[in-house]
Structures are given as C-alpha cells and as structure tokens.
C-alpha cells in the first residue's frame, strides 16, 4: 500500500475537486413486472362490508377470539423477536452513520518535577506543567461509498420493519386458524356424541325387539358394535382438541394449557363481518409485507455494489489536532504554548491481485439473486391468492352439497327406523342409514371448518394494507418516508 501525505494547501483544492465526482455504483430502479390485470379465477364476494384498511380480524363477533388475538399481539415471542431485530437494524444504521462522520478525541496531561541544588543550602525547586488537546479525523465521502453504506443500512432496517409486519399477519392468521380448527373439532365431537346417543337408542330398541322375538341376536351385536365404533372415535377428537388448545397457548407466548378454561366450552365457528379487498395482482407489491421486504433486500444488495466499487478508488482522510500547554508553575517563569496541526492523507491500493474486483463481482451476483428472490416472492404471493380463491370456491360448493346430503340422509334414517319398527325392513337398512347419516354430519362439520380456513387463507394471502404498516411505523417512531 502506498501512502502519500500532502500539505493542507494541496489537499483542500483536491478535496473540493474530488467531491464533485458522482456516486459510484448503480442507483436502484424498481423492476417492472409483466403482471396480468386480474386473477385467473373470478374473485368471490365473501362479505357485504369491504374493509378499506383490511383489518378483517377486528370484525369478528366472537369475544373469546378477539381477546386471544389481543393477547397474541402483545405476547407472541416471534413478534418480540421481530421487534428486537428492528432495534438491532436501527442500531446498525446508527453505527454506520456514526462511523462515517467526524471522529473527535481529547487528552489531558500533567507533569511535576522537583530539583535539589548541590550547594550547601540544598535549595529545592518544583516545576509543574499542564496540557490538554483535541484531535479529529474525517474521511471524505469522495466516491459516495459512505452514502451507499447508509443506503444499505437503511434498506436493511426497513426490511426488518416489513418482516415484522409479515410475522404480525402470520401470528393473527395462525391464532384464527387454530381457533377455527378447535371449534370445528368441538362441533364434530358434539355431533358424534349426539350420534352415539341415537345409536344407543337404536340398540335399546333392538334389544326390546329381541326379547319379544322380533329381532335376532345378530342384530343386537351389530347395534352394539356400532356403538363401540363411535365411542372409539371420541378420544381421537379429544386429542385434536387438546392439541389445538396447546397450540393457541404457544402462539400467545404462554405455557401449554394456560387458556384451557376459556376454550373447553363448545362455541360456534367465528364469523367475520368484513373482508379485505382482494384487488389485482399488482396490489400485492404494496399490500404483502413479505414482497416489500424482498424489494428492500434488493435495494440493499444494489447499494452494496456501490460500497464495494468505492474501494477501488483512493481514500482521502483529513487529520487535525489542537494542543494547549503551560509549564513553569512553582519555579517561574510560566510558559504557555499552543500548537495546531492539520494534514491530509490519500490512501490508495496499487495492487491487490483482483480482490476488490472480486468483491464487486460477488456484490453484483448477490444483487441478481436478490432480484430473483423478489420476483419469486411476488409470484408465490400471486399463487397464494389464486390458490386461496380456488380453495374458497371449492369449499363453498362442498359445504352446500353436504347440507343437502345431511338432509337426505336424515330423512333416509328416519324412514328406515320407522319401517324397521313396523317390521317392513331389516336392521341392516337402519344401520346403514344411521352410519351414513353420522358420516355425512361429520363431513359437513369438516366442510364448514374448511370453508372458514380457506376464508382465512384468502384474507391473509392478500396481505395488509399500507396504512397498517405506516400505523405501526408511527407507533414505533419509524420514518418510512426514506424507504
């Protein structure tokens, strides 16, 4: 490395001339994606009220779910980790800004000397001295490398803000999904218990008929076997209920089972009075936090190219100092001194074997990878919405068909039991119709749960509104105008 020291007279004109140079590295330009104007499947109308801000979870009439969401947003550990990462990125940005500024130091010193005369009187003299000084160092951002470092730090910081919003949306959706699964399983369990009571009644009828010689022991065995089959299914449903309760507790940052008392009572599936606007694929560029975070990652990677490019050029550093001192206290005369110095250093690497160019090549490839990741994230977001639309439409059709199926199976069961009691049909008809009724009721309960889940999938797929992100930014004291 070759270092040349210039006088201040030469350095200042050179600094002024070099400062007029342009910032090295590419400026970020938002990529243009050829997006279709609408989603492939027709967008369904889910709720009569379209919430402009998209906070659909606030429109639920279920007080338990509202409380769970509030607790989750306050205590979820993933959210706390995401918030901590924001503060970490904020601190990194401050550090980068500070490191690129002027560095000022100070020092204070003192000394004391005592002398004794060699004459017979042995006179002693004391000489005290004091000094203080300050020094500074500043590296000029001649090629814009420091500006690019600030851009990288800011983009990384804002990326964490949007990633936090992505976690925010995910936590809400996960709480709602687990709550829906819990209520759906509880409904299935309740229906199965009703079917069990009905099957036991049928078994009692068969037993009475067998005592009067109107039914066989085979019919009774079949009836009792059907009761046992239903009883065997209940523990499995209870296990699913317990797991859902524990999963909700974890999402709320609590130990498993903490909220069991609030969740064990059977409640209907939650309903939401509003739905977020589905919009068009281009809206996801602003509504999906993960898409915006991916773009900020691309911005950061683009600015990093400038950081590495600036290392190709010489670095200009200004150093200065001011020192004040006084000596002679005690022995006189007092001598006061003042010294000032300023200098400039140009630091240039003449040969590095291509290491710096390799760093630029690495940065360029990382920017290319960030672009592909951004594009992939956007495509996945579009896929999420379209898949959720297909899922919702299919779930609606399935539920409507199963409503009719349950009605017909109930009629068939009632007719078969009446005919059996009248001796017009055999017991296998009763068993078959009751078994299919039980299964169709379970299928309908599953379909209603799946429809709720597909609805939440669609709501979460369209993302948050920009206002939600800005609301959090204002609350956290984050300036989003620089992003």
């Amino acid at each position: 490395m070759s270092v040349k020291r210039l006088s201040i007279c030469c350095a200042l004109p050179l600094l002024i001339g070099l400062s007029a140079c342009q910032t090295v590295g590419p400026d970020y330009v938002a990529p243009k994606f050829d997006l279709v104007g609408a989603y492939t499947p027709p967008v369904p109308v889910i709720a009569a009220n379209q919430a402009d801000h998209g906070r659909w979870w606030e429109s639920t009439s279920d007080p338990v779910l509202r409380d769970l969401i509030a607790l989750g947003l306050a205590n979820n550990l993933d959210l706390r980790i995401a918030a901590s990462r924001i503060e970490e990125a904020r601190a990194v940005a401050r550090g980068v800004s500070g490191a690129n500024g002027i560095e000022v130091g100070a020092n204070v010193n003192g000394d004391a000397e005592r002398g004794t005369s060699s004459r017979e009187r042995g006179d002693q003299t004391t000489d005290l001295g004091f000094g203080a000084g300050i020094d500074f160092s500043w590296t000029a951002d001649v090629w814009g490398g420091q500006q690019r470092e600030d851009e990288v730090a800011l983009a990384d910081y804002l990326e964490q803000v949007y990633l936090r919003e992505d976690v925010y949306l995910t936590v809400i959706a996960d709480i709602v999904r687990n709550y829906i699964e819990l209520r759906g399983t509880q409904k299935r369990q309740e229906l199965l218990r009703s079917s069990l009571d009905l099957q036991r009644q049928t078994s009692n009828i068969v037993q009475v008929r067998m005592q009067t010689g109107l039914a066989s022991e085979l019919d009774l065995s079949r009836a009792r076997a059907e009761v046992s089959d239903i009883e065997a299914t209940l523990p499995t449903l209870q296990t699913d209920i317990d797991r859902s309760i524990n999963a909700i507790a974890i999402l709320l940052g609590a130990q498993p089972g903490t909220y069991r008392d609030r969740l064990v009572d059977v409640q209907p599936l939650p309903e939401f009075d509003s739905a977020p606007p589905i919009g068009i694929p281009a809206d996801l560029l602003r509504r999906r936090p993960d898409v915006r975070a991916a773009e900020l990652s691309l911005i950061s990677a683009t600015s990093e190219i400038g950081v590495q490019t600036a290392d190709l050029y010489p670095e200009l550093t200004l150093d200065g100092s001011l020192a004040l001192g006084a000596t002679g206290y005690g022995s006189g005369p007092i001598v006061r001194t003042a010294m000032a110095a300023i200098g400039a250093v140009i630091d240039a690497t003449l040969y590095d074997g291509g290491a710096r160019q390799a760093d630029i090549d690495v940065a360029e490839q990382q920017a290319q990878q960030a672009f592909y990741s951004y594009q992939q994230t956007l495509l996945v977001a579009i896929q999420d919405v379209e898949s959720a639309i297909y899922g919702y439409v299919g779930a609606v059709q399935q539920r409507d068909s199963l409503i009719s199926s349950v009605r017909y199976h109930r009629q068939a069961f009632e007719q078969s039991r009446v005919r059996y009691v009248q001796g017009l049909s055999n017991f296998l008809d009763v068993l078959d119709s009751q078994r299919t009724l039980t299964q169709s009721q379970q299928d309908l309960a599953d379909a209603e749960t799946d429809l709720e889940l597909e609805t939440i999938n669609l709501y979460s797929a369209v993302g948050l509104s920009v206002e939600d992100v800005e609301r959090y930014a204002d609350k956290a004291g984050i300036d989003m105008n620089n992003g």
Side-chain angles (χ1 to χ4, degrees):
M1 180 177 293
S2 175
V3 178
K4 296 183 179 180
R5 298 187 178 273
L6 305 178
S7 68
I8 188 61
C9 295
C10 297
L12 288 179
L14 180 62
L15 173 61
I16 295 173
L18 291 177
S19 296
C21 298
Q22 295 183 351
T23 302
V24 297
D27 293 325
Y28 175 74
V29 177
K32 302 296 183 181
F33 297 108
D34 186 17
L35 300 178
V36 295
Y39 294 108
T40 303
V43 176
V45 178
I46 302 176
N49 299 322
Q50 298 294 319
D52 293 336
H53 50 63
R55 300 175 68 85
W56 49 267
W57 57 90
E58 294 181 349
S59 68
T60 181
S61 57
D62 190 323
V64 176
L65 179 57
R66 283 202 305 267
D67 291 344
L68 293 177
I69 293 175
L71 288 169
L73 295 180
N75 302 313
N76 181 267
L77 297 180
D78 287 332
L79 270 175
R80 291 185 175 183
I81 292 172
S84 177
R85 286 174 178 160
I86 290 177
E87 295 306 315
E88 176 189 1
R90 189 204 299 261
V92 170
R94 289 201 310 268
V96 170
S97 178
N100 290 333
I102 299 177
E103 182 178 338
V104 180
N107 62 81
V108 178
N109 61 78
D111 60 79
E113 295 182 2
R114 171 171 289 187
T116 303
S117 175
S118 60
R119 298 178 181 178
E120 293 182 357
R121 291 186 303 173
D123 294 338
Q124 294 184 348
T125 60
T126 301
D127 189 6
L128 302 178
F130 304 94
I134 59 172
D135 56 78
F136 73 90
S137 179
W138 175 62
T139 300
D141 189 18
V142 177
W143 313 108
Q146 294 178 10
Q147 177 183 332
R148 295 303 190 192
E149 288 179 349
D150 290 337
E151 292 173 2
V152 171
L154 178 60
D156 291 344
Y157 167 53
L158 294 178
E159 179 185 2
Q160 293 302 322
V161 173
Y162 281 107
L163 288 176
R164 184 266 178 196
E165 292 304 288
D166 191 45
V167 174
Y168 172 82
L169 178 60
T170 300
V171 167
I172 293 174
D174 285 348
I175 291 173
V176 176
R177 287 191 188 100
N178 278 276
Y179 187 79
I180 289 173
E181 290 175 353
L182 169 65
R183 295 311 187 194
T185 306
Q186 287 176 330
K187 182 176 182 179
R188 287 184 57 200
Q189 188 183 57
E190 188 177 49
L191 288 171
L192 203 59
R193 284 173 176 161
S194 297
S195 298
L196 180 59
D197 291 340
L198 189 61
Q199 187 61 50
R200 284 171 176 164
Q201 295 174 14
T202 301
S203 179
N204 292 335
I205 293 174
V206 173
Q207 187 172 7
V208 171
R209 288 176 59 82
M210 187 187 72
Q211 292 173 353
T212 59
L214 297 176
S216 66
E217 189 173 348
L218 176 60
D219 291 342
L220 182 59
S221 297
R222 286 172 172 167
R224 289 174 174 175
E226 198 69 23
V227 170
S228 298
D229 288 341
I230 296 176
E231 289 175 339
T233 307
L234 288 173
T236 303
L237 294 178
Q238 185 59 48
T239 299
D240 292 340
I241 290 172
D242 295 335
R243 287 173 175 168
S244 294
I245 291 175
N246 288 343
I248 290 173
I250 297 299
L251 287 169
L252 272 54
Q255 295 185 23
T258 301
Y259 300 97
R260 177 173 296 276
D261 293 342
R262 301 180 63 177
L263 296 172
V264 291
D265 294 336
V266 178
Q267 297 291 337
L269 291 170
E271 295 182 356
F272 300 92
D273 297 330
S274 65
I278 307 302
I280 60 176
D283 293 337
L284 299 180
L285 289 169
R286 303 183 72 237
R287 293 183 58 88
R288 283 281 292 251
D290 56 337
V291 174
R292 301 198 72 175
E295 182 182 16
L296 283 160
S297 180
L298 174 58
I299 294 174
S300 174
T302 303
S303 297
E304 183 63 28
I305 298 174
V307 173
Q308 299 302 327
T309 303
D311 288 342
L312 287 174
Y313 303 99
E315 183 179 87
L316 175 63
T317 301
L318 295 181
D319 296 313
S321 63
L322 174 64
L324 302 174
T327 59
Y329 289 98
S331 62
I334 298 175
V335 179
R336 297 179 175 84
T337 60
M339 297 180 61
I342 190 169
V345 176
I346 293 181
D347 190 352
T349 300
L350 299 181
Y351 179 74
D352 63 0
R356 290 173 297 165
Q357 184 58 52
D359 290 339
I360 296 174
D361 294 341
V362 169
E364 289 175 346
Q365 292 306 312
Q366 289 176 342
Q368 190 66 43
Q369 295 163 23
F371 168 75
Y372 292 142
S373 296
Y374 178 32
Q375 186 177 22
Q376 178 74 5
T377 303
L378 177 59
L379 293 177
V380 170
I382 297 174
Q383 178 193 22
D384 289 344
V385 176
E386 292 211 353
S387 297
I389 292 175
Y390 284 124
Y392 175 82
V393 173
V396 170
Q397 295 172 349
Q398 182 186 37
R399 181 206 57 185
D400 293 345
S401 297
L402 285 171
I403 289 175
S404 300
S405 175
V406 169
R407 182 173 67 251
Y408 294 137
H409 281 303
R410 182 176 289 109
Q411 293 175 358
F413 167 69
E414 292 172 353
Q415 292 168 358
S416 64
R417 189 167 63 168
V418 170
R419 288 175 60 83
Y420 174 71
V421 172
Q422 295 175 347
L424 299 177
S425 65
N426 57 44
F427 186 62
L428 285 177
D429 292 338
V430 178
L431 281 181
D432 182 65
S433 60
Q434 187 167 5
R435 187 183 299 114
T436 53
L437 173 60
T438 299
Q439 185 59 52
S440 64
Q441 288 175 331
Q442 294 291 304
D443 291 342
L444 177 57
D446 278 340
E448 290 174 340
T449 302
D450 289 343
L451 176 57
E452 289 276 349
L453 292 174
E454 293 294 349
T455 302
I456 302 307
N457 289 340
L458 181 55
Y459 288 180
S460 61
V462 299
L464 293 165
S465 67
V466 178
E467 289 76 12
D468 276 317
V469 178
E470 292 176 348
R471 184 182 297 108
Y472 170 74
D474 291 340
K475 183 178 179 181
I478 299 169
D479 183 9
M480 299 295 292
N481 294 325
N482 294 324

